[in-house]
């Protein structure tokens, strides 16, 4: 077989694989919407032959993601979906439990409030509320941000075991994003130690020039730090002095979310 033919076969296989995944997801969405559906209904909905729909449903059934309903030939979502959903349930709970607290904090502190969690070697924002004085329309939700240059990342790093933190920082690196980004491990560790002592972390134009932020930890039922509540604003208004002045309100807000998550400490 020529290289050209081999390349075409590989590309075709990859395209077919992606198409199969797309169709399988469509099947799950159809069942989620309808509750139950037969092979013919599924085939019509995703515009494939009945045999293709049958194979897709069979593959999903083998993984427990769909199951046959009492009426033979009808399919519905299986309990395997619950297993997958369980991986993000904690995050969903954080946003649900944190929403009223964040809304109150944004109103009280008049700046943008976010909830962020760890995602591999980044912090990712799950929920955001803009304060009445917020001038920027920037939406941080869903964005991966570097741990060493964000207040959320710092508070998450600060409460990690030292060895795990060191390994993570080696992997992630300490990229210089602005003139004020901390790129020295020694200086960062000192900053994190102070964050643990004070109960909150802060950044001064370390991610973006003109942006200040601070964050406090949210704990799970067993006391593990699972998220950060952050407040951010423009440096000309959300000054270093103002941040330290407002920090107790942020810490109280984070503690309230922690209690809502079952933490009794």
């Amino acid at each position: 077989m020529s290289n050209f033919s081999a390349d075409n076969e590989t590309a075709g296989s990859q395209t077919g694989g992606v198409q199969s995944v797309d169709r399988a997801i469509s099947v799950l969405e159809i069942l989620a919407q309808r509750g139950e559906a037969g092979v013919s209904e599924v085939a019509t909905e995703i515009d494939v032959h009945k045999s293709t729909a049958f194979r897709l449903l069979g593959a999903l059934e083998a993984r427990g993601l769909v199951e046959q309903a009492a009426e033979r030939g009808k399919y519905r979502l299986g309990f395997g979906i619950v297993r997958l959903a369980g991986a993000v349930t904690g995050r969903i709970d954080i946003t649900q439990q944190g929403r009223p607290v964040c809304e109150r904090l944004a109103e009280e502190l008049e700046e943008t409030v976010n909830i962020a969690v760890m995602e591999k070697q980044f912090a990712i924002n799950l929920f955001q509320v803009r304060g009445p004085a917020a001038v920027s329309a920037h939406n941080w939700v869903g964005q991966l941000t570097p741990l060493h240059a964000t207040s959320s990342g710092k508070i998450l790093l600060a409460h990690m075991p030292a060895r795990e933190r060191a390994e993570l920082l080696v992997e992630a690196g300490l990229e210089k994003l602005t003139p004020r980004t901390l790129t020295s491990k020694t200086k960062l560790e000192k900053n994190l130690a102070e964050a643990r002592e004070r109960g909150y972390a802060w950044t001064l134009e370390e991610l973006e020039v003109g942006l200040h932020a601070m964050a406090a930890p949210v704990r799970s039922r067993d006391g593990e730090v699972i998220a950060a509540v952050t407040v951010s604003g423009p440096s000309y208004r959300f000054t270093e002095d103002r941040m330290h002045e407002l920090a107790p309100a942020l810490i109280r807000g984070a503690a309230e979310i922690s209690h809502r998550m079952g933490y009794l400490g």
Side-chain angles (χ1 to χ4, degrees), residues 143-218:
Q143 288 201 18
L144 296 171
T145 54
L147 296 170
H148 70 292
T150 56
S151 59
S152 55
K154 284 185 180 181
I155 207 69
L156 294 168
L157 283 171
H159 291 277
M160 288 176 66
R163 183 174 179 177
E164 186 180 340
R165 179 170 61 248
E167 291 174 353
L168 185 62
L169 289 175
V170 167
E171 183 182 355
L174 299 175
E175 183 183 355
K176 192 174 186 66
L177 302 168
T178 75
R180 301 192 69 173
T181 305
L182 297 181
T183 57
S184 160
K185 288 183 181 179
T186 302
K187 289 182 179 179
L188 179 60
E189 281 293 341
K190 183 179 179 182
N191 191 257
L192 297 180
E194 194 170 356
R196 282 192 297 273
E197 183 181 338
R198 293 196 184 197
Y200 64 101
W202 60 95
T203 52
L204 305 171
E205 299 186 284
E206 294 165 47
L207 177 65
E208 292 183 2
V209 172
L211 180 69
H212 284 178
M214 63 177 176
V218 174

Side-chain angles (χ1 to χ4, degrees), residues 8-211:
N8 280 349
E9 183 175 312
T10 301
S13 175
Q14 290 173 342
T15 302
V18 171
Q19 187 179 49
S20 295
V21 171
D22 185 62
R23 285 173 174 171
I25 292 171
S26 295
V27 171
L28 295 175
E29 290 175 338
I30 290 165
L31 296 181
Q33 185 177 26
R34 298 190 179 188
E36 293 182 356
V39 176
S40 297
E41 293 174 80
V42 170
T44 300
E45 191 72 26
I46 63 176
D47 193 24
V48 298
H49 193 274
K50 281 181 63 175
S51 61
T52 301
F54 186 77
R55 284 197 301 272
L56 284 169
L57 286 162
L60 291 169
E61 186 178 19
R63 293 300 185 102
L65 298 176
V66 306
E67 62 185 19
Q68 291 199 41
E71 183 184 342
R72 190 74 178 168
K74 290 281 189 178
Y75 290 82
R76 64 190 178 196
L77 293 180
F79 282 100
I81 292 289
V82 177
R83 184 183 69 249
L84 296 179
V88 294
T89 297
R91 295 183 175 191
I92 294 170
D93 285 345
I94 291 169
T95 57
Q96 289 175 341
Q97 299 301 329
R99 182 183 298 271
V101 179
C102 290
E103 289 174 346
R104 191 186 69 237
L105 280 174
E107 187 69 28
E108 180 184 347
L109 306 183
E110 300 187 325
E111 300 292 355
T112 298
V113 177
N114 277 276
I115 291 179
V117 297
M118 186 87 77
E119 177 69 22
K120 296 181 180 177
Q121 57 197 47
F122 300 95
I124 185 170
N125 294 284
L126 302 180
F127 179 68
Q128 175 174 301
V129 183
R130 293 183 62 208
V135 293
S136 172
H138 187 89
N139 186 2
W140 293 97
V141 174
Q143 288 201 18
L144 296 171
T145 54
L147 296 170
H148 70 292
T150 56
S151 59
S152 55
K154 284 185 180 181
I155 207 69
L156 294 168
L157 283 171
H159 291 277
M160 288 176 66
R163 183 174 179 177
E164 186 180 340
R165 179 170 61 248
E167 291 174 353
L168 185 62
L169 289 175
V170 167
E171 183 182 355
L174 299 175
E175 183 183 355
K176 192 174 186 66
L177 302 168
T178 75
R180 301 192 69 173
T181 305
L182 297 181
T183 57
S184 160
K185 288 183 181 179
T186 302
K187 289 182 179 179
L188 179 60
E189 281 293 341
K190 183 179 179 182
N191 191 257
L192 297 180
E194 194 170 356
R196 282 192 297 273
E197 183 181 338
R198 293 196 184 197
Y200 64 101
W202 60 95
T203 52
L204 305 171
E205 299 186 284
E206 294 165 47
L207 177 65
E208 292 183 2
V209 172
L211 180 69

